[in-house]
Amino acid sequence: MRPYDLRHDFASLLMRDGSLDPAAIAGQIGHSVQTLMATYTHVIAELRSEPKIPGDEQIRQAREARKAA
């Protein structure tokens, strides 16, 4: 896994968590808000109809799914 992939996953988790605004997420990953919105448009669209899930819960679910596979 490349560092870029980790940053992308981290940003996606933060967006799904819903506890930070886009400016805070952009600051966390070193992007401007404009770059964040352009880069993660697909993630934002996918999450629009999804419930907000805390990051630790998302990680727990992913670990369980990996164990089951």
Side-chain angles (χ1 to χ4, degrees):
M1 187 172 251
R2 303 170 300 167
Y4 172 83
D5 296 325
L6 294 173
R7 184 172 69 172
H8 184 79
D9 290 348
F10 179 65
S12 298
L13 286 169
L14 290 174
M15 286 183 222
R16 179 107 190 253
D17 181 273
S19 61
L20 295 176
D21 61 67
I25 295 171
Q28 288 270 338
I29 64 170
H31 280 322
S32 67
V33 174
Q34 293 81 5
T35 301
L36 176 85
M37 300 307 272
T39 304
Y40 295 92
T41 300
H42 67 284
V43 175
I44 294 165
E46 289 171 14
L47 296 177
R48 191 166 282 134
S49 61
E50 296 291 321
K52 302 294 183 198
I53 300 175
D56 57 341
E57 176 63 19
Q58 293 177 66
I59 293 168
R60 186 189 65 72
Q61 289 176 7
R63 286 180 177 157
E64 288 179 1
R66 186 173 182 181
K67 285 179 187 176

